[in-house]
Amino acid sequence: MKTLFQPVLNLNQGRVFGFDAQPDFGGVGCQNVEDEFQAVCRSAIEGFLRQAADRVLILPMLGSDLLDASQNAGHLLEACEMYALSPKQLILECSE
């Protein structure tokens, strides 16, 4: 899996505010939702840190990710700790 990043602009300041992570599974999904959520988080954070560690990362979440929100939040916090990314740099984008 790879992650593409779409810049999000702050038009008032005329600069890139952050990056919206767009996971690309290449037609291959994960075995279960938990594995998929972890894979998206890891891929997005790794790519983000290589490109723009001083900005904000916008992570997509599906409604199904919220069904087990406490476990997924734990995975997300573990990934932040592993990659030394501040949770203050994350915006979670929820969609259907």
Side-chain angles (χ1 to χ4, degrees):
M1 178 183 69
K2 66 180 179 177
T3 303
L4 306 173
F5 295 93
Q6 180 175 346
V8 177
L9 302 176
N10 178 328
L11 297 178
N12 290 330
Q13 296 178 350
R15 69 180 192 97
V16 174
F17 166 75
F19 291 89
D20 189 4
Q22 305 289 319
D24 179 8
F25 293 98
V28 177
C30 295
Q31 296 288 41
N32 63 51
V33 172
E34 184 179 332
D35 289 345
E36 185 174 302
F37 182 80
Q38 289 180 43
V40 167
C41 289
R42 280 193 305 270
S43 175
I45 291 172
E46 287 173 2
F48 172 73
L49 291 174
R50 283 192 299 271
Q51 294 184 39
D54 63 334
R55 303 283 186 235
V56 172
L57 173 61
I58 302 166
L59 283 176
M61 291 185 73
L62 297 174
S64 58
D65 294 331
L66 298 175
L67 293 176
D68 198 2
S70 63
Q71 187 168 2
N72 284 337
H75 294 308
L76 186 55
L77 289 173
E78 286 174 14
C80 285
E81 287 178 14
M82 181 186 319
Y83 295 105
L85 177 68
S86 170
K88 292 179 181 181
Q89 289 179 268
L90 292 178
I91 296 174
L92 301 179
E93 175 185 30
C94 298
S95 61
E96 296 278 334

